[in-house]
Amino acid sequence: MRQIVLDTETTGLDWRNGDRVIEIGCVELFSRGLTGRHFHVYINPGRPIAAEAVAVHGITEEFLADKPKFADVVEAFEDFVRDAELVIHNASFDVGFLDCELELLGRGRLSSLCSGVIDTLRLAKEQNPGKKASLDALCERYSIDNARRELHGALLDAELLAEVYLAMTRGQESLMIGLEDEPAASDVASAAAALSARAPLPVLRPSAAELQAHRAVLEEIAKANKGLCLWLPPESETAAPA
């Protein structure tokens, strides 16, 4: 399965108020392995960036002044994520912003491009209710080095999230490891040799006294159950022939 781990940075917190995407970072997973392919772009939003947002990601209007508009990179973005399953932390935030950008250009929403979305924030809360579920907290929980993360950055955060996601879901994969594998011929031979080398089990037969005692117990059971005892054969079967 092809998956794209995605993160964005924006001019503010709400696309409904006119905030725009200023950075997109994506890394590709295939069959739960990093392929080395990534998509990363800075975008000139054509509007001011809130001071609170700059404090989080450090991206300034001056830095973005010569960067492309979203319209200039949209086709490359669509090509990279098309038909993949997206993995996003707090997916409603990033999906909302990207759908807004796409709709401003008259293009289809992410749901028409991609096969689905996994929200790792929701997944983390389901796995560990009541515990912190920020990306930094998850990196600490799964022993993932995030020392480079002094500020938020879309590509770095996507790379860290990919490692977090693989760690969060590794148990689901391990449950199935080896269930369909054919055993090696050497393993079969070793098991057969071990069985043949095992000493035969002794067969102990009851004595006449033990048989009589067992019969007495069964008769007591039958008496208590009005003559019914599954382990006691009918008198006709045990009576001596005439």
Side-chain angles (χ1 to χ4, degrees):
M1 175 186 292
R2 182 171 178 266
Q3 295 173 301
I4 300 297
V5 186
L6 180 151
D7 187 58
T8 65
E9 301 298 340
T10 61
T11 62
L13 296 176
D14 196 343
W15 54 268
R16 301 173 190 83
N17 294 332
D19 284 314
R20 304 289 298 273
V21 174
I22 58 175
E23 184 185 9
I24 303 173
C26 304
V27 295
E28 183 183 59
L29 296 173
F30 189 80
S31 297
R32 293 184 55 80
L34 288 162
T35 67
R37 294 187 66 226
H38 71 274
F39 176 86
H40 181 226
V41 63
Y42 290 103
I43 298 167
N44 184 340
R47 60 152 293 160
I49 304 173
E52 296 84 355
V54 175
V56 171
H57 50 60
I59 302 173
T60 64
E61 296 169 38
E62 291 75 20
F63 175 77
L64 297 176
D66 61 348
K67 301 301 184 290
K69 302 285 188 180
F70 186 80
D72 300 322
V73 301
V74 63
E75 290 187 5
F77 169 72
E78 289 175 331
D79 289 343
F80 192 82
V81 303
R82 183 174 283 110
D83 299 328
E85 182 178 56
L86 300 181
V87 178
I88 308 174
H89 201 65
N90 192 16
S92 60
F93 179 88
D94 302 84
V95 170
F97 268 94
L98 289 168
D99 277 348
C100 177
E101 296 285 354
L102 291 166
E103 288 178 355
L104 287 173
L105 297 176
R107 307 180 84 90
R109 299 162 71 94
L110 281 177
S111 58
S112 66
L113 276 173
C114 304
S115 63
V117 178
I118 294 175
D119 187 346
T120 51
L121 177 62
R122 178 180 298 178
L123 182 60
K125 290 181 176 180
E126 290 174 352
Q127 290 183 347
N128 297 280
K131 293 188 177 181
K132 293 181 179 179
S134 67
L135 183 56
D136 285 332
L138 293 175
C139 285
E140 182 177 358
R141 182 175 305 156
Y142 294 105
S143 301
I144 294 168
D145 183 10
N146 64 340
R148 296 177 296 156
R149 194 179 189 245
E150 296 180 3
L151 292 172
H152 288 220
L155 183 59
L156 175 59
D157 287 0
E159 291 171 346
L160 291 173
L161 183 59
E163 295 186 58
V164 165
Y165 170 71
L166 292 174
M168 291 172 70
T169 57
R170 191 164 289 131
Q172 299 172 13
E173 180 189 55
S174 64
L175 290 175
M176 301 302 295
I177 289 177
L179 291 183
E180 298 180 356
D181 295 343
E182 291 292 333
S186 58
D187 294 337
V188 175
S190 298
L195 287 173
S196 62
R198 181 181 298 168
L201 296 174
V203 178
L204 301 179
R205 300 189 181 279
S207 65
E210 289 171 331
L211 287 172
Q212 186 177 357
H214 179 62
R215 174 80 185 193
V217 171
L218 295 180
E219 288 175 348
E220 288 295 325
I221 295 174
K223 187 184 298 183
N225 289 278
K226 299 180 180 181
L228 297 176
C229 179
L230 295 176
W231 300 278
L232 188 64
E235 289 295 330
S236 61
E237 296 182 17
T238 58

